[in-house]
Amino acid sequence: MKFWVLTILSLGVKLFAQNFSLYTGYGATMQHNTKLGHLITERPFFLEADYSKSSTGYYAWQRDANFPDYGLCLNFQTLGNNDKLGQSIALAPYLEFPFSKKQKRVLFKMKMAWGLAYLTKKFDVETDHKNTAIGSHFNTFIQFRFLWNIKLSEQWCLNPAITFIHVSNCRFSVPNLGINTLYPSVGIQYQLNKSNHYNIPQDSSTQKKYHHEILGFAAIGANEVEPPTHQKLAAYSFGINYYYNARNNQQFGVGADVFYEQSFAHDIRPTDTSQVKYNFQTCVTSGVKLCYAYNFGRIAIPIEFGVYTYSPSGKLPNGIFYHRLGCRYYFKNGLVAHFSLKTHFAIAYHIEAGLGYRFFIKKKMK
């Protein structure tokens, strides 16, 4: 059995990977909510294996992003309390791009990964009732890493880094405070083979022709409220964004959102036993936002910072700020696939998926 597993892994490395990296580090579990204080008893530890491939410049966006690496990471981490929180095992695709256009001996890079994590412990009324952080075994896994890629030889690199990891089920099940860990870390990278770069891009179809664009979208999601009842509550989002395309890979803008969230009707109740009614007065909120998106060809990573401006009930129990982090795919015909996570700072509120449409205001880029 071990022979076949090793054979399959080695074939996968030869077919896919150009680089193989190992990372590790001891860090801290961040107490972003007072309810987590009793759970943090240890320093978390992580170990990670990354398989990656360097982009070649075949697509024009790869040159704009300084020839990023793309790959798959396998991450294991303790979470700060082995008895109550257990451990996390995650698999996630990622992009890692340098901030410099030149190939230097020392490169500063950023890695973004989004995938699936399995947590060995979750809230259980009978066996783990003190685990107020996570209510499900399967969770989303988000990782940001800032690293220095220091070339030691033609094939070996040393990568000191700062690694941030978030795991939660996006409030699809409660409790769901989520777990955030921060690590001073170090990695070692071995380059299996060199990548060849195209001198001229072979595909420029995703190059932006106009500075200004409008995006409208609608999305649907679901979440739960506490105390746990396993009742899924609907969440609807409607948004419109204006973007200024500063470069082919960077967009800055402003926008507005309207939300209809059944969970909000629960949030504004005076007590947990109060009657809940789902209507305009209890479910609707709206806000304005600042928008940023980093584009990798047809894939965009939007980050939005919003402020609630209207609630018919006059109540905002989650604070006045909301945030959105997600992924969008731009089709050739203007349609947009939208997938994102709405949060109130570090606390997830709901995950959403939907469709949108974008059109350009015809002022051509130089």
Side-chain angles (χ1 to χ4, degrees):
M1 182 65 181
K2 291 183 179 179
F3 169 79
W4 288 109
V5 170
L6 291 172
T7 301
I8 292 170
L9 286 174
S10 64
L11 285 173
V13 169
K14 290 179 180 178
L15 291 173
F16 173 75
Q18 288 179 330
N19 305 307
F20 174 71
S21 306
L22 284 175
Y23 285 90
T24 189
Y26 276 96
T29 301
M30 302 168 67
Q31 186 179 339
H32 59 274
N33 189 293
T34 55
K35 294 179 182 180
L36 284 173
H38 71 285
L39 287 172
I40 304 172
T41 60
E42 304 164 351
R43 296 182 69 84
F45 162 83
F46 88 96
L47 182 65
E48 180 180 298
D50 291 2
Y51 297 90
S52 66
K53 192 171 185 178
S54 299
S55 55
T56 61
Y58 181 90
Y59 298 99
W61 71 264
Q62 294 176 345
R63 301 181 70 88
D64 294 333
N66 302 327
F67 299 96
D69 295 339
Y70 55 95
L72 195 66
C73 70
L74 178 64
N75 179 282
F76 168 84
Q77 66 166 335
T78 62
L79 300 170
N81 187 329
N82 283 330
D83 291 334
K84 302 299 181 186
L85 299 177
Q87 300 87 36
S88 163
I89 302 169
L91 188 67
Y94 72 87
L95 280 167
E96 182 179 289
F97 55 93
F99 287 93
S100 171
K101 288 184 178 294
K102 296 180 180 179
Q103 292 299 316
K104 302 177 180 178
R105 183 174 174 270
V106 179
L107 280 178
F108 184 51
K109 295 183 173 184
M110 185 176 82
K111 172 189 174 184
M112 299 186 298
W114 194 341
L116 185 67
Y118 178 83
L119 272 62
T120 58
K121 297 287 184 72
K122 71 177 184 68
F123 172 81
D124 187 278
V125 175
E126 296 181 357
T127 61
D128 199 0
H129 66 278
K130 292 185 178 181
N131 184 352
T132 56
I134 294 293
S136 63
H137 283 301
F138 288 98
N139 296 266
T140 188
F141 171 91
I142 298 173
Q143 182 190 84
F144 289 97
R145 173 177 291 145
F146 294 93
L147 63 123
W148 291 263
N149 184 251
I150 303 171
K151 203 170 186 64
L152 301 177
S153 68
E154 286 299 315
Q155 291 184 304
W156 290 96
C157 293
L158 181 68
N159 296 344
I162 301 294
T163 301
F164 169 80
I165 298 174
H166 169 82
V167 291
S168 77
N169 61 44
C170 308
R171 205 177 169 182
F172 193 75
S173 297
V174 292
N176 183 60
L177 295 176
I179 301 173
N180 300 316
T181 47
L182 185 66
Y183 299 96
S185 48
V186 64
I188 189 77
Q189 183 184 75
Y190 179 72
Q191 186 174 344
L192 298 169
N193 50 69
K194 291 184 178 180
S195 62
N196 296 317
H197 289 175
Y198 287 89
N199 294 324
I200 300 174
Q202 306 299 299
D203 187 333
S204 301
S205 60
T206 59
Q207 295 289 91
K208 288 185 170 60
K209 298 179 181 179
Y210 306 102
H211 273 303
H212 309 281
E213 68 176 78
I214 302 293
L215 167 68
F217 64 91
I220 185 172
N223 60 6
E224 290 185 1
V225 295
E226 295 192 55
T229 62
H230 303 295
Q231 179 188 3
K232 302 301 179 188
L233 302 171
Y236 303 94
S237 304
F238 307 89
I240 185 166
N241 296 6
Y242 158 77
Y243 281 116
Y244 175 75
N245 297 318
R247 298 174 61 188
N248 283 315
N249 58 350
Q250 294 196 61
Q251 300 175 282
F252 301 87
V254 294
D257 291 305
V258 176
F259 303 102
Y260 183 93
E261 298 161 322
Q262 291 181 336
S263 58
F264 189 76
H266 290 258
D267 294 341
I268 63 176
R269 291 179 299 169
T271 68
D272 289 343
T273 57
S274 300
Q275 185 180 5
V276 180
K277 293 182 179 180
Y278 304 126
N279 54 41
F280 178 85
Q281 293 292 322
T282 61
C283 296
V284 171
T285 55
S286 63
V288 295
K289 60 191 177 182
L290 296 175
C291 310
Y292 173 79
Y294 196 96
N295 297 333
F296 301 93
R298 298 196 179 279
I299 298 174
I301 308 297
I303 300 172
E304 299 177 357
F305 186 99
V307 179
Y308 288 113
T309 55
Y310 177 69
S311 169
S313 66
K315 299 177 181 179
L316 293 169
N318 299 303
I320 64 171
F321 300 113
Y322 67 93
H323 312 85
R324 182 182 274 123
L325 171 67
C327 179
R328 295 187 181 124
Y329 184 84
Y330 297 134
F331 294 93
K332 292 181 180 180
N333 59 3
L335 284 177
V336 179
H338 170 88
F339 181 80
S340 71
L341 170 65
K342 181 189 176 186
T343 73
H344 298 109
F345 285 102
I347 300 175
Y349 198 62
H350 65 73
I351 204 161
E352 61 185 16
L355 289 173
Y357 186 81
R358 69 169 178 163
F359 61 90
F360 297 97
I361 301 172
K362 295 188 177 182
K363 184 178 179 181
K364 288 196 172 183
M365 297 176 70
K366 293 181 180 180

